[in-house]
Amino acid sequence: MDGWVPLDTLPSQGRAFVRSLNGGHAFVSRLAALGFTPGAPVAIVQNRGHGPLIVVVRDCRIALGRGEAHKVLVQREG
């Protein structure tokens, strides 16, 4: 878990890899169905510091609420 950060802390244009989902079964199942699985690359399209984040995961553009994005742990690229 060294170097893992919540998805909502990445800046716009940031890139990372999904490492873990922290939440209940329904949350984890829903995000996994959207492509947020361990090892999946994710790119931040928009993170203005408030409101939803827009991300690209597995060639799909997805809007996540801040609370949801905070439960997705990622490892920065590089």
Side-chain angles (χ1 to χ4, degrees), residues 40-55:
V42 60
I44 307 295
V45 174
Q46 176 181 298
N47 183 358
R48 294 185 176 158
H50 62 281
L53 277 75
I54 300 175
V55 302

Side-chain angles (χ1 to χ4, degrees), residues 2 11 14 23 28 30 33-35 42-43 47-48 53 56 59 61 72 74 77:
D2 188 31
V28 171
R30 188 172 71 79
L34 291 171
V42 60
N47 183 358
R48 294 185 176 158
L53 277 75
V56 173
D59 296 324
R61 188 177 283 224
V72 178
V74 299
E77 208 175 63

Side-chain angles (χ1 to χ4, degrees), residues 5-8 10-11 13-19 34-37 39-45 53-62 64 69 72-77:
V5 297
L7 182 61
D8 65 327
L10 295 182
Q13 312 310 317
R15 294 182 171 277
F17 295 96
V18 175
R19 292 298 177 222
L34 291 171
F36 289 87
T37 55
V42 60
I44 307 295
V45 174
L53 277 75
I54 300 175
V55 302
V56 173
V57 63
R58 300 194 188 275
D59 296 324
C60 291
R61 188 177 283 224
I62 299 169
L64 290 177
V72 178
L73 294 181
V74 299
Q75 185 172 21
R76 294 176 192 204
E77 208 175 63

